[in-house]
Amino acid sequence: MAAAAAATAAAAASIRERQTVALKRMLNFNVPHIKNSTGEPVWKVLIYDRFGQDIISPLLSVKELRDMGITLHLLLHSDRDPIPDVPAVYFVMPTEENIDRMCQDLRNQLYESYYLNFISAISRSKLEDIANAALAASAVTQVAKVFDQYLNFITLEDDMFVLCNQNKELVSYRAINRPDITDTEMETVMDTIVDSLFCFFVTLGAVPIIRCSRGTAAEMVAVKLDKKLRENLRDARNSLFTGDTLGAGQFSFQRPLLVLVDRNIDLATPLHHTWTYQALVHDVLDFHLNRVNLEESSGVENSPAGARPKRKNKKSYDLTPVDKFWQKHKGSPFPEVAESVQQELESYRAQEDEVKRLKSIMGLEGEDEGAISMLSDNTAKLTSAVSSLPELLEKKRLIDLHTNVATAVLEHIKARKLDVYFEYEEKIMSKTTLDKSLLDIISDPDAGTPEDKMRLFLIYYISTQQAPSEADLEQYKKALTDAGCNLNPLQYIKQWNTTSFFHRAFTKMASAPASYGSTTTKPMGLLSRVMNTGSQFVMEGVKNLVLKQQNLPVTRILDNLMEMKSNPETDDYRYFDPKMLRGNDSSVPRNKNPFQEAIVFVVGGGNYIEYQNLVDYIKGKQGKHILYGCSELFNATQFIKQLSQLGQK
Amino acid sequence: MAVDITLLFRASVKTVKTRNKALGVAVGGGVDGSRDELFRRSPRPKGDFSSRAREVISHIGKLRDFLLEHRKDYINAYSHTMSEYGRMTDTERDQIDQDAQIFMRTCSEAIQQLRTEAHKEIHSQQVKEHRTAVLDFIEDYLKRVCKLYSEQRAIRVKRVVDKKRLSKLEPEPNTKTRESTSSEKVSQSPSKDSEENPATEERPEKILAETQPELGTWGDGKGEDELSPEEIQMFEQENQRLIGEMNSLFDEVRQIEGRVVEISRLQEIFTEKVLQQEAEIDSIHQLVVGATENIKEGNEDIREVPHL
């Protein structure tokens, strides 16, 4: 049984690995890629559309593309010159315009041979369009291979994925929840989501058991997904889930659980101010597809009158799985991050000094006979020092990167007093007594941007058991408008509150004791050490808050469903099993055992706070894995924008 | 899991063909499909560049095959014990080395040539980039194959060095036993040894070798079979001292060897770095020159402006 457990653990190979392997195979002309040190070089050109670009960029760096033999990588809809004698690998979505452009390429005879890979399945008619163009251009033999890749999702972390980036307005929270949506539009949105989820499960190689709440968009997705999976399984000839295609990834002992939740279950978390590194970076900086863009303001200088204003330096960094510091600390509370950067810097400096010291020892050679005996050791030391230089340089680069990023984050924290907001919101959400009145914080001109205040107020409004009285509400509204806030989001939330279903569901959950986390302010020890070491991260005036692990609503739902706990909020969730012969509608789960593997998917958008909460939750459980996905990834700013658009109508 | 729909595609092509025929649509070039295709393709610039690139690759491939083929024999240290078929003399090895080196040199020259020619006549940025990348790949391939060769060679050199070392050690155990049995004859030579202060290992070897015939003459000449206990002790002490000296010499030499190997590795690393830096320094030089020019022009412009 231990072997089986190990097998399932290994089989839960991260989704990132799987997608990367699939991409590499595709780039290797659809043949599994084997590293051969004396293999002949083969070169090729990679053509992708924006969807393809978003999928590839978090997974493969330009260097890795080079290693696979790709000399050029180009956008489909760009001017491309004919390059004779080179095979071209296409990785595009099968849309009208893409197909047209590909046919044009065929007609213009741009490349030697064509390997066409479609991100999601192409329809028969479109395939015939390409066939037509190929015939017209007498290029049929040049089309070497055509593949449906089923990779229509973006993997950001080992256990986190997003549906899409390019057309996220289509599937955004706003798109799904706006009151004027027509049935056909809704159908399109649902189809897009289901297509991506389907691709996800094909790549994962497993057929999940689906649970979803009733009466929500999530339910629509569940129904459609179930139908699609079912159809595919029945079609014995073309099934994508047969034993041999699953290969080593077969979850033969346990099927994963897919929990589909709707964003409306919990609107407070996307607005929440946060305190962990990755979530902070996403909230405060421009963080997108694992790339953070910083604007470095080049210090305050006296510029002579009439001089042009200094250009701000833009820098962007990729936060990748190779970055060990990031992997270790992306879920840590910020003060810990600051301290760790300091520690890394110190250890790097120590190593640097080692290398420098050798230099001075070398200098003794001519003078001191006694040093000669040391010398033989030192030659070896020198060699190891020199060969470890690239490592040191890499370390330095990472330290610089994180110093810059963390400093930028810290600046925001200090300027907007985000620690105060965080603490306050945590208190609101956990219903502990508030030491400062909400009105005070909102009217305080120093603390935070208008948006921060709006977020705080909305969280308060969502989390209270009873709505504030009209008079109070007016007071708050006035204070908010004075602070410069736009009140549209509030309009929408009011609506949301009164929509009986959600409000009922939410208050049901909210009535559970301590539904959100509570924080304590850790004694000053940690902070004072950071300050005493003359750290760059002078966190004076910034509270050193420590998160106490409590579960967010989404995590709680998952916990109930995964551990088969009985709980009023999840008991009436629907149950779908695509592998069962007859789709029955019962809520009674056939499977009584707790699940080892679960995928949580939020329809309507998610964020890193939820992701981090899930990661923390599953850390405590041995041998269990969770994957988190959402239809789009937004930070609070983007979410507020959507809410205010919704509130305007 | 990706799905191969190439067959589906081919089927679609057939469908479209028949449909077009049925509709009587004159598909441009599709009617005389095969002939037209051939006709179409030949005037297409086949690319002088790529055919030459492929030639270079096939040459490198030949070199690689050649090296791999003879690798086993080359490395084989026990060739003197094996049958004729497995044996490879040193001259043959040298020959292989030489051939390989010439080959590598020609290949890298060919690559250089291609590099300079690749950028002529081509106006498209993309094609230039592509060609540069292709040449980088080929160079990388050559490097990998050269590594094969250098690994082989390193093993061979190491074997030779080891052999030499072993062959020098061999007389020691023999003479040691001889010394202890005929101790009185060695009394003179050890004192000579200590005076001469042997710095190299050949000298002890020579001296020991010398003592052997000397032992013979001495043994015959002296005719004495008895030794006083003090003399025996003294001789034994001398022996011990000699052994100690030989050992320390041996250690020193080994250390030196180790150091030299390290130094050669360091040299390699440093040369690589220096070459890298050369390119960078060149570009920095260009930049600086450009910057000076700009500053000069700027100064002149400023001077021209009449002071207000």
Side-chain angles (χ1 to χ4, degrees), chain A residues 49-90:
Chain A
D49 62 350
R50 291 203 185 276
F51 282 86
Q53 189 178 30
D54 286 339
I55 295 175
I56 297 181
S57 62
L59 296 175
L60 296 172
S61 63
V62 176
K63 181 175 175 299
E64 284 171 309
L65 288 179
R66 268 303 178 92
D67 288 340
M68 305 270 334
I70 296 184
T71 58
L72 283 180
H73 44 93
L74 305 163
L75 267 179
L76 181 67
H77 293 286
S78 62
D79 290 325
R80 282 173 288 121
D81 305 316
I83 307 181
D85 236 13
V86 63
V89 176
Y90 282 74

Side-chain angles (χ1 to χ4, degrees), chain A residues 37-40 43 66 71-72 79 81 85 128 136 138 141-143 146-149 202 240 245 383, chain B residues 1-6 9-10 19 28 37 41 46 50 57 64 124 126 129-130 133 137 141 144 262:
Chain A
S37 70
T38 52
E40 273 185 18
W43 51 79
R66 268 303 178 92
T71 58
L72 283 180
D79 290 325
D81 305 316
D85 236 13
E128 284 181 8
S138 317
T141 46
Q142 287 178 291
V143 177
V146 185
F147 265 76
D148 279 335
Q149 288 292 336
V202 171
L240 298 160
T245 55
T383 321
Chain B
M1 201 58 205
V3 175
D4 189 347
I5 51 176
T6 319
F9 176 70
R10 307 250 181 255
R19 196 195 306 151
E37 244 181 68
R41 282 163 67 104
K46 197 59 173 141
S50 42
I57 291 188
R64 178 197 64 184
S124 151
Q126 290 176 2
E129 241 181 87
H130 169 74
F137 286 155
Y141 182 42
R144 279 181 280 139
E262 303 276 347

Side-chain angles (χ1 to χ4, degrees), chain A residues 255-413:
Chain A
R255 283 167 58 197
L257 168 68
L258 170 65
V259 177
L260 283 166
V261 287
D262 192 296
R263 176 78 265 154
N264 286 311
I265 273 192
D266 171 16
L267 287 187
T269 307
L271 297 167
H272 191 24
H273 286 92
T274 172
W275 201 238
T276 56
Y277 193 26
Q278 186 176 40
L280 263 176
V281 171
H282 185 232
D283 191 17
V284 152
L285 303 173
D286 179 12
F287 182 50
H288 217 48
L289 291 179
N290 289 349
R291 170 173 290 192
V292 62
N293 293 312
L294 289 181
E295 228 180 50
E296 279 178 8
S297 48
S298 43
V300 180
E301 287 177 29
N302 292 327
S303 43
R308 259 184 274 143
K310 286 235 182 233
R311 237 177 3 146
K312 284 196 174 171
N313 229 358
K314 276 204 173 185
K315 281 195 137 189
S316 65
Y317 301 109
D318 283 319
L319 296 166
T320 58
V322 191
D323 184 343
K324 288 202 210 75
F325 184 84
W326 176 246
Q327 291 308 314
K328 199 159 148 225
H329 289 284
K330 57 188 176 187
S332 316
F334 193 66
E336 225 181 271
V337 171
E339 205 189 307
S340 307
V341 174
Q342 218 29 49
Q343 278 173 352
E344 290 281 314
L345 190 59
E346 279 168 19
S347 82
Y348 164 76
R349 287 215 182 112
Q351 276 180 300
E352 218 183 12
D353 287 339
E354 262 285 320
V355 178
K356 287 199 186 139
R357 202 169 52 85
L358 284 176
K359 205 172 68 166
S360 58
I361 290 182
M362 289 294 127
L364 288 174
E365 186 180 328
E367 302 165 14
D368 187 1
E369 286 296 309
I372 288 189
S373 54
M374 284 206 299
L375 204 57
S376 49
D377 274 337
N378 284 329
T379 324
K381 262 199 236 163
L382 187 61
T383 321
S384 60
V386 170
S387 41
S388 72
L389 272 179
E391 231 181 82
L392 267 184
L393 285 172
E394 175 66 14
K395 214 173 166 183
K396 175 102 198 338
R397 185 186 72 89
L398 288 179
I399 293 178
D400 278 342
L401 194 163
H402 285 286
T403 313
N404 287 342
V405 171
T407 317
V409 172
L410 186 60
E411 272 170 24
H412 277 268
I413 295 181

Side-chain angles (χ1 to χ4, degrees), chain A residues 17-27 149 151 203:
Chain A
E17 253 174 65
R18 282 172 176 267
Q19 207 177 20
T20 314
V21 163
L23 280 177
K24 283 196 174 162
R25 190 173 50 224
M26 169 189 85
L27 292 175
Q149 288 292 336
L151 288 175
T203 310

